[in-house]
Amino acid sequence: MKKSKVSFSLFTVLVLVLVCISVVFSGCKLSVDKEYKYNTEIITNEKAPVEGEADVESITGYVEDKEQKFVTLPYEIKDTNLVVTSIGKYTGVYSEMTASEDVEDILAIIVENTSDKVVSFSSLTVQYTDEKTCSFSPTNIPAHQSALVFTNGEAIPYADVEKFECIDSMAVMAKELPLLEGVVGIDFVDGQFIVTNLTSDDLGEVYIRYKNFTDGNTYLGGVTYSVMVPEVKGYETYKVDAPDYNEETSVIIAVENMLK
């Protein structure tokens, strides 16, 4: 009789343990869904800019003004690690803090990050006539790389430019751009990022930052695009729209997460 009671007690304990384990793991996945097992890396683009000078002659839609008398190049921007290496006019798609639109012969400059760090954010105020100013905001330019940037808010016809003098400037630097390699996999299909959490950890909000680029080893525009995936759970996969991302001319430059 005693033996029977002991056996019953052990069975009861075992059942309670299994119930507890079930409660703890209920709703928690133990691995990535089979459909997304492939998604273990963050997509890259072999055509993206690399360290080195811009190939000005190869930049689509840009014509350098080699005869201009506005400014002596290269032109170092005070309080930043940015240097203006070229000035000229651009015809093509313009998307600097506004919806994308087609423009013709607008003011554009090539800026190079001459430091060993990332120019996370910068702001340049430039006087282009005696009475008028404009601003540029190059963002997330990696070390020793360049971007073709346009004025913020409103495109300036190059024909209106009478001078080029930077009267105010600042830059925020970062050691590197975060990239959650080995933590998330990111693919791009039919206009959406497919984001897979490769770990059992809840990541909170995941932000994917990307930039467009053009021929000539140069980023196109100062703008950095960003999309957010809310509340990323362990081993889950999510799809999120990625406007302005193009498989041929865009590159993911940073992926970071923020827990509340």
Side-chain angles (χ1 to χ4, degrees):
M1 190 73 177
K2 225 181 234 189
K3 186 175 180 183
S4 178
K5 285 185 177 179
V6 171
S7 298
F8 179 76
S9 297
L10 288 174
F11 177 76
T12 303
V13 170
L14 181 59
V15 170
L16 289 173
V17 170
L18 290 173
V19 169
C20 289
I21 292 174
S22 176
V23 170
V24 170
F25 287 98
S26 61
C28 296
K29 302 184 71 167
L30 300 179
S31 66
V32 173
D33 289 339
K34 184 177 180 181
E35 181 182 357
Y36 301 107
K37 288 279 189 183
Y38 79 94
N39 195 22
T40 59
E41 298 182 353
I42 297 170
I43 53 173
T44 58
N45 194 325
E46 295 180 353
K47 301 176 184 177
V50 295
E51 288 191 13
E53 296 181 356
D55 181 3
V56 177
E57 300 295 328
S58 298
I59 299 175
T60 304
Y62 178 70
V63 178
E64 182 177 31
D65 185 355
K66 297 180 179 180
E67 306 299 323
Q68 60 86 20
K69 308 294 183 188
F70 311 136
V71 60
T72 301
L73 300 176
Y75 180 60
E76 296 184 6
I77 305 298
K78 185 180 178 182
D79 298 324
T80 77
N81 292 105
L82 293 172
V83 173
V84 178
T85 59
S86 177
I87 185 170
K89 53 188 176 182
Y90 170 79
T91 296
V93 177
Y94 166 90
S95 56
E96 213 64 283
M97 298 179 68
T98 62
S100 297
E101 60 179 310
D102 290 330
V103 294
E104 184 176 358
D105 292 344
I106 66 167
L107 168 63
I109 59 175
I110 297 175
V111 293
E112 180 182 350
N113 173 11
T114 59
S115 78
D116 293 325
K117 295 183 178 181
V118 177
V119 176
S120 179
F121 175 82
S122 64
S123 177
L124 322 175
T125 301
V126 171
Q127 195 155 10
Y128 68 95
T129 74
D130 288 337
E131 297 84 23
K132 295 181 179 180
T133 62
C134 60
S135 64
F136 301 84
S137 296
T139 64
N140 292 312
I141 302 178
H144 306 290
Q145 294 190 30
S146 299
L148 176 69
V149 297
F150 318 114
T151 53
N152 296 328
E154 182 180 357
I156 304 297
Y158 190 72
D160 292 350
V161 179
E162 299 172 359
K163 62 191 297 186
F164 190 94
E165 180 183 357
C166 187
I167 58 175
D168 191 30
S169 56
M170 60 82 69
V172 177
M173 309 298 289
K175 185 176 180 180
E176 59 187 5
L177 291 167
L179 205 60
L180 299 179
E181 292 180 300
V183 177
V184 297
I186 301 176
D187 194 9
F188 181 76
V189 178
D190 295 333
Q192 293 183 313
F193 286 132
I194 299 175
V195 184
T196 300
N197 184 354
L198 305 174
T199 74
S200 60
D201 298 329
D202 291 346
L203 301 178
E205 297 174 345
V206 171
Y207 291 83
I208 304 168
R209 324 269 189 202
Y210 55 97
K211 293 182 74 70
N212 291 334
F213 60 88
T214 184
D215 294 333
N217 196 34
T218 310
Y219 290 101
L220 180 61
V223 63
T224 298
Y225 300 98
S226 180
V227 298
M228 186 266 286
V229 188
E231 299 304 320
V232 175
K233 302 295 183 182
Y235 295 124
E236 290 286 2
T237 295
Y238 304 83
K239 294 182 180 181
V240 58
D241 291 339
D244 300 299
Y245 186 89
N246 183 297
E247 290 179 281
E248 292 295 317
T249 57
S250 299
V251 60
I252 294 175
I253 59 167
V255 182
E256 58 186 324
N257 72 301
M258 297 182 184
L259 290 168
K260 294 182 180 179

